[in-house]
Amino acid sequence: MLTFEYPIQIYMNIKLLSLLTLFILGNAFSQSIQSPSEFLGYELGDRFTRHHQVVDYFKYVSNTVATVKMEKYGETNEHRPLYVSYISSKENIANLEKIRKDNLSQTGIIKGGNGNTKAIVWLSYNVHGNEASSTEAAMLTLYELITNKKDWLENTIVIIDPCINPDGRDRYVNWFNQVKSTPYSIDQNAKEHLEPWPSGRPNHYLFDLNRDWAWATQVESSQRIAIYNKWLPHIHVDFHEQGINDPYYFAPAAEPFHEVISDWQRNFQIEIGKNHAKYFDKEGWLYFTRESFDLLYPSYGDTYPTYMGAIGMTYEQAGHGRAGLGIQTNEGEVLTLKDRVMHHTTTGLSTVEISSTSAIQLNAEFAKFFDNSDLKYKSYVLKNKNKDQLNRLKKLLDKHQIYFQSAKKGIAKGYLYSTQEEGKMEVTSSDLMIHTDQPKGKMVKVLFEPKAKLMDSLTYDITAWSLPYAYGFEAIASRTKLPSSNAIKETNINNSIVKRAYAYVSKWNSLEDATFLGALLQNNMVPRFSEKAFSIEGNSFERGSLIVLRNDNRNPEFDAKLIAIANQHQRSLTAVATGFSDSGVDFGSAFVKPIHQQKIAVLSGKATSSLSFGEVWHFFEAQLNYPITNINAEDFSDTTLHSYDVIVLPSGSYRDVLNTSMMTKLKKWMRNGGTLIAIGNALRSFADKDGFSLKVKKSAEKDKVDNLTPFAERERKSVANLITGSIFTSKIDSTHPLGFGYDSNYFSLKLSSTSYQYLAKGINVGYFDQMTKNVSGYAGSEAIKNVPKSLMLGEESFGKGSIVYMVDNPLFRSFWENGKLFMANAVFLLNSNTLK
């Protein structure tokens, strides 16, 4: 078979090489500027270009011509720089700031302005590090624009971010260069086509940056969002790669579309797609549209810009981390890096072309998008029951330049999130108000609406994300605009030393409290926590409250050290002169337990989900600021378990790791006081196993896709058995340490259709009762039947220690803020008073 394919491939390579040559010849101007290949010293597609070389080329062009301006907008965790480049006519580059402000004036963000007539096109490359062809294409696109396509730039600003995820890209490129054959192998089984864990797809903390636009939990996202919102382009393209056997995908997108997307945004995608098709048809390249990639979940590189007024699109080229420099597909064709670069360059240029010819209409329709008068809900009010959660939400809104105010005291009527019914809620000036009659009003709707309108159940991602549920707020959505005040009172906490203090007491109901606790432990202080509520000297404290006793910390610098840490973390301390409570437990009670430093191990490697491990890693290192030890799962059997107090198993498949011998070791370790935390799919390693009470809940007869189901209906029928990210009501036992800091009602983001029975021997701390409801997002008609009377969060004791079962990952993508305290409770409050 190969003897027939290679002559065809040789012909294709010659043809593609000719096309590349045409791209880099240009006019007389091109003789004064080096092409990427000339600058780098090799033909694009012959090898992968490291990130620093890409930056060097963009710097070279920016320093050589007056039609390109480069701007550094950030830096990654591994200290690689993040840049964008502005490409336009010399006159436009000279007036760049005026054009930016004129564009924003169309949205209402900036007052005044003379109106804008320039098209603004933003091209984002390589958000997934191992989808590496697009950064190569970014260099060729830049060169082609400033040489052969200069006419388009007279009325168009092109913004190129050549590599959103340089840490992931270099991880992939460096690995590939180490293992590739020379010449490269096209055999799918070759090592160079089988990327190891965790792959180059995610960033440093192994987050998928294409799921992080709205949540902005990662430094790359936060920095990119800041510069993106300074511009708000009319067109945004997110360049990707998909499986090696898939042809090229470009707009228009698939259903479901979110309802805020305008008819213009939908229809212009079709026009863009037709323009691409013109070039692809000419070359005989395969492509598809309107399949797989929908526009609903708000944290993608196509949806986020769409909800900010742009025509947001994903372009997907065959390749991904498997393709390397060349690979034989299942159809016998050889897909090369040169092919991939050419395809992405073609769609990038085609996008600029049609934007240039449609500049006037783009601006007119862009301005219309920011009319938010027809939105159903005019105001959202969030009760200030947890100031830390409120402040965290404010920081997120600030990142997106969404305005918020203080509510005015009164009664608000509307949709109550707690009951999912119309009702009323008393509001005060400390509550948060977000109106939709602001420039980002449609994004407010997308992020805060109780449930997104779902046009089609076949979706690419989770279907529920409403921020009041994610942050755990009591909230109301009003159809009328409610009165508010611009005054947002912010007070700085400044504790003082009280030399007569017997102890200092601090609350426990937020991640910030856990971060404060972690800081105390790392500074060799010994805090305690109360398992029961108490009141002392006229102040009341709930379960979990931290008590720092002078007697536990016999150090002359005790007060100064504690006060400094509390002020740094903005924690309010209550100094008390006695340990004798007004009601509840005294400070010498057995229910007031010491918290010792916890040594934490987290398993990683191919047995684990890289995303789940990354979420745990980021939680401890970047949020809790508490150290962990990263242990490769393959080395777990050689690990001295008693060196650790807590072991976390991220979601994954541990069949080859947790064998009979390892299970015996784990049980012994737990009996001696260890805490084992299993997340998501890790629970399968313990379910229905001897010695563990966790049992899979058998579902009723599934709506099977049987042999009589028509082939065309099978995919749609199968979703009846799925839950892929929807919100359910649940109950929390807030008298158990795992539930400290929580109310009895909790909204859980359920991430799969797998359900577990209530623990027969253990504590069902979080659970879905008989009355549980699916309040937002899609849940299959069959899968939903198995949710009532099932476990969400539980603890099973083993001697002095225990195992914690987290059915649904509370750290998922780091955006479900109200779940994070569960992890801190499991680490610090369960068995931490046991000296091991």
Side-chain angles (χ1 to χ4, degrees):
M1 182 176 178
L2 288 178
T3 55
F4 289 96
E5 294 298 335
Y6 271 118
I8 295 174
Q9 186 59 39
I10 291 170
Y11 166 75
M12 288 299 294
N13 281 342
I14 291 172
K15 186 174 182 180
L16 287 169
L17 184 59
S18 298
L19 287 169
L20 281 167
T21 303
L22 287 174
F23 263 128
I24 64 174
L25 286 179
N27 53 28
F29 172 79
S30 69
Q31 303 305 312
S32 64
I33 189 80
Q34 290 182 318
S35 70
S37 296
E38 291 168 335
F39 180 85
L40 296 168
Y42 54 86
E43 290 295 323
L44 282 183
D46 281 351
R47 67 177 77 164
F48 287 107
T49 308
R50 288 187 173 89
H51 178 255
H52 73 89
Q53 295 172 290
V54 176
V55 171
D56 286 346
Y57 182 68
F58 274 80
K59 283 184 177 179
Y60 156 71
V61 173
S62 178
N63 292 332
T64 304
V65 300
T67 56
V68 178
K69 180 180 179 181
M70 201 171 177
E71 178 180 356
K72 183 179 179 182
Y73 70 85
E75 186 176 278
T76 70
N77 288 290
E78 297 175 16
H79 308 295
R80 292 181 177 88
L82 296 165
Y83 285 97
V84 293
S85 288
Y86 307 97
I87 305 101
S88 193
S89 68
K90 184 176 180 180
E91 180 182 358
N92 289 339
I93 292 296
N95 293 305
L96 208 56
E97 181 63 7
K98 180 180 184 303
I99 293 170
R100 184 187 73 83
K101 289 181 177 179
D102 285 346
N103 183 57
L104 290 183
S105 71
Q106 299 181 112
T107 71
I109 293 174
I110 290 179
K111 301 302 180 185
N114 299 319
N116 183 46
T117 59
K118 314 296 182 186
I120 302 175
V121 180
W122 190 302
L123 305 178
S124 291
Y125 298 87
N126 222 160
V127 66
H128 293 146
N130 60 358
E131 299 173 10
S133 69
S134 69
T135 289
E136 311 290 339
M139 292 187 284
L140 187 56
T141 301
L142 168 67
Y143 179 75
E144 180 66 12
L145 285 172
I146 62 173
T147 55
N148 298 321
K149 308 298 182 185
K150 291 186 292 182
D151 290 347
W152 298 345
L153 303 178
E154 292 299 319
N155 68 342
T156 304
I157 311 295
V158 180
I159 305 173
I160 289 182
D161 187 335
C163 190
I164 287 177
N165 181 13
D167 290 351
R169 176 183 175 82
D170 273 3
R171 185 187 310 126
Y172 171 74
V173 171
N174 290 336
W175 165 80
F176 182 84
N177 288 340
Q178 290 169 1
V179 303
K180 74 177 183 69
S181 302
T182 303
Y184 61 81
S185 173
I186 64 170
D187 189 330
Q188 291 186 20
N189 296 311
K191 186 175 183 178
E192 62 201 71
H193 300 306
L194 300 171
E195 210 180 345
W197 190 97
S199 85
R201 178 184 175 92
N203 76 337
H204 171 80
Y205 280 112
L206 307 189
F207 270 64
D208 185 335
L209 294 180
N210 194 40
R211 307 296 191 276
D212 195 48
W213 278 73
W215 319 134
T217 68
Q218 302 301 292
V219 294
E220 297 93 341
S221 303
S222 293
Q223 294 167 141
R224 183 178 65 256
I225 290 300
I227 192 169
Y228 184 91
N229 278 280
K230 283 176 63 177
W231 277 93
L232 293 182
H234 310 137
I235 301 285
H236 181 268
V237 180
D238 198 20
F239 288 88
H240 286 263
E241 292 190 83
Q242 54 191 335
I244 62 171
N245 298 304
D246 296 313
Y248 201 98
Y249 164 83
F250 50 71
E255 292 284 356
F257 283 63
H258 195 284
E259 62 180 324
V260 302
I261 299 173
S262 69
D263 290 342
W264 156 257
Q265 288 174 309
R266 288 171 175 253
N267 294 335
F268 197 67
Q269 281 200 13
I270 297 173
E271 297 308 310
I272 293 173
K274 288 179 179 179
N275 205 57
H276 298 344
K278 175 178 64 177
Y279 294 103
F280 275 57
D281 290 344
K282 181 180 178 181
E283 300 301 330
W285 297 335
L286 295 178
Y287 57 91
F288 67 99
T289 66
R290 292 169 286 216
E291 296 179 42
S292 301
F293 305 102
D294 60 68
L295 291 175
L296 183 69
Y297 176 66
S299 210
Y300 288 138
D302 52 10
T303 50
Y304 180 89
T306 298
Y307 302 151
M308 292 293 195
I311 312 295
M313 296 170 291
T314 290
Y315 296 169
E316 296 268 358
Q317 161 63 45
H320 207 266
R322 289 207 65 199
L325 296 179
I327 192 169
Q328 187 176 38
T329 70
N330 290 352
E331 293 184 354
E333 297 289 340
V334 177
L335 174 68
T336 69
L337 179 57
K338 289 183 178 180
D339 299 333
R340 294 150 62 196
V341 171
M342 183 53 61
H343 297 162
H344 267 334
T345 302
T346 300
T347 54
L349 292 173
S350 172
T351 301
V352 177
E353 177 189 37
I354 192 170
S355 301
S356 179
T357 59
S358 308
I360 299 300
Q361 192 174 12
L362 276 173
N363 277 280
E365 296 294 338
F366 176 75
K368 290 179 184 177
F369 181 87
F370 294 91
D371 177 3
N372 298 313
S373 58
D374 62 347
L375 294 179
K376 177 180 178 181
Y377 293 119
K378 308 302 181 184
S379 300
Y380 297 91
V381 189
L382 283 66
K383 290 292 293 179
N384 184 13
K385 291 184 64 178
N386 187 321
K387 184 178 178 182
D388 292 330
Q389 296 279 66
L390 201 68
N391 286 339
R392 223 176 303 157
L393 178 60
K394 288 178 184 178
K395 290 178 182 178
L396 178 64
L397 298 179
D398 282 339
K399 287 181 181 180
H400 299 304
Q401 299 178 11
I402 291 174
Y403 307 132
F404 52 84
Q405 296 177 306
S406 293
K408 285 191 174 180
K409 186 176 181 180
I411 301 295
K413 295 180 180 179
Y415 180 93
L416 286 171
Y417 286 70
S418 58
T419 63
Q420 301 84 56
E421 296 175 348
E422 293 295 315
K424 59 185 179 181
M425 183 175 78
E426 184 177 354
V427 299
T428 70
S429 59
S430 64
D431 298 331
L432 192 69
M433 181 85 72
I434 304 102
H435 299 303
T436 56
D437 64 343
Q438 59 172 300
K440 307 288 180 65
K442 288 187 174 66
M443 181 58 88
V444 171
K445 170 185 167 58
V446 170
L447 296 179
F448 284 86
E449 63 186 341
K451 58 179 71 177
K453 186 177 180 180
L454 195 59
M455 309 290 188
D456 193 323
S457 57
L458 291 176
T459 62
Y460 195 61
D461 213 292
I462 66 172
T463 54
W465 52 80
S466 179
L467 290 184
Y469 292 130
Y471 281 75
F473 288 114
E474 287 185 30
I476 195 166
S478 173
R479 292 173 184 252
T480 59
K481 185 176 180 180
L482 298 173
S484 59
S485 168
N486 288 326
I488 300 288
K489 297 179 181 178
E490 300 289 348
T491 56
N492 191 51
I493 293 173
N494 188 21
N495 299 287
S496 300
I497 292 174
V498 180
K499 284 292 185 181
R500 63 174 181 79
Y502 177 85
Y504 295 86
V505 186
S506 182
K507 72 174 183 67
W508 180 267
N509 67 357
S510 73
L511 180 61
E512 287 73 14
D513 297 328
T515 304
F516 169 56
L517 170 60
L520 293 177
L521 294 173
Q522 291 182 82
N523 279 274
N524 298 313
M525 303 194 77
V526 180
R528 294 175 180 255
F529 75 100
S530 177
E531 289 191 327
K532 295 195 174 186
F534 64 92
S535 62
I536 188 168
E537 296 183 356
N539 297 296
S540 297
F541 296 92
E542 298 297 325
R543 289 180 173 88
S545 295
L546 301 179
I547 301 168
V548 189
L549 292 165
R550 186 180 298 279
N551 190 58
D552 286 336
N553 299 272
R554 299 175 187 177
N555 185 311
E557 301 299 320
F558 163 68
D559 296 274
K561 192 175 181 181
L562 174 61
I563 296 301
I565 296 171
N567 287 344
Q568 178 187 352
H569 291 269
Q570 286 295 283
R571 298 299 90 192
S572 178
L573 298 179
T574 300
V576 294
T578 179
F580 190 91
S581 66
D582 300 334
S583 63
V585 293
D586 297 324
F587 289 0
S589 168
F591 293 105
V592 178
K593 297 181 176 180
I595 304 173
H596 299 291
Q597 286 190 27
Q598 299 293 282
K599 191 164 185 184
I600 304 165
V602 181
L603 264 61
S604 64
K606 65 181 183 180
T608 68
S609 157
S610 61
L611 294 174
S612 182
F613 166 74
E615 289 155 359
V616 175
W617 181 19
H618 185 264
F619 172 77
F620 282 102
E621 191 167 286
Q623 300 175 61
L624 202 58
N625 300 320
Y626 198 85
I628 62 171
T629 299
N630 172 2
I631 296 178
N632 192 321
E634 293 179 346
D635 301 324
F636 194 41
S637 61
D638 297 324
T639 301
T640 304
L641 298 187
H642 70 252
S643 298
Y644 303 97
D645 304 295
V646 178
I647 298 174
V648 182
L649 304 182
S651 187
S653 177
Y654 295 90
R655 181 179 305 173
D656 297 330
V657 177
L658 300 180
N659 53 32
T660 302
S661 174
M662 199 65 228
M663 282 292 201
T664 301
K665 288 176 64 176
L666 275 175
K667 289 176 183 177
K668 181 180 179 181
W669 171 77
M670 285 189 285
R671 290 189 184 102
N672 287 327
T675 302
L676 183 65
I677 302 172
I679 303 173
N681 288 339
L683 273 67
R684 294 177 181 175
S685 296
F686 307 97
D688 303 314
K689 300 291 194 303
D690 290 341
F692 296 92
S693 67
L694 184 69
K695 307 294 180 187
V696 173
K697 187 179 181 189
K698 306 298 183 184
S699 61
E701 185 68 17
K702 288 187 176 182
D703 189 8
K704 293 182 179 178
V705 182
D706 55 39
N707 292 334
L708 298 179
T709 302
F711 182 77
E713 297 176 13
R714 291 189 170 211
E715 182 183 20
R716 188 164 298 281
K717 192 171 183 180
S718 68
V719 300
N721 300 308
L722 300 179
I723 296 174
T724 54
S726 54
I727 302 171
F728 284 79
T729 59
S730 66
K731 296 293 183 181
I732 299 295
D733 178 1
S734 57
T735 68
H736 185 280
L738 276 177
F740 285 175
Y742 285 92
D743 296 327
S744 59
N745 295 311
Y746 177 78
F747 292 95
S748 180
L749 181 65
K750 191 155 186 61
L751 297 168
S752 81
S753 57
T754 302
S755 293
Y756 297 90
Q757 298 176 14
Y758 290 157
L759 297 176
K761 296 179 181 179
I763 309 296
N764 298 285
V765 181
Y767 56 94
F768 303 102
D769 65 11
Q770 187 63 46
M771 304 303 293
T772 190
K773 288 174 24 180
N774 172 210
V775 301
S776 182
Y778 176 77
S781 58
E782 293 301 313
I784 201 172
K785 295 176 184 177
N786 215 31
V787 177
K789 299 180 72 173
S790 68
L791 180 70
M792 187 198 80
L793 175 69
E795 181 195 21
E796 181 178 359
S797 295
F798 282 82
K800 296 179 181 179
S802 60
I803 180 171
V804 176
Y805 301 115
M806 294 183 169
V807 178
D808 292 308
N809 180 5
L811 305 182
F812 179 69
R813 294 181 185 167
S814 195
F815 92 96
W816 203 259
E817 293 288 347
N818 201 32
K820 293 178 180 178
L821 191 61
F822 288 131
M823 180 62 77
N825 286 346
V827 169
F828 295 121
L829 304 189
L830 281 188
N831 305 303
S832 66
N833 60 303
T834 304
L835 288 174
K836 304 169 183 70

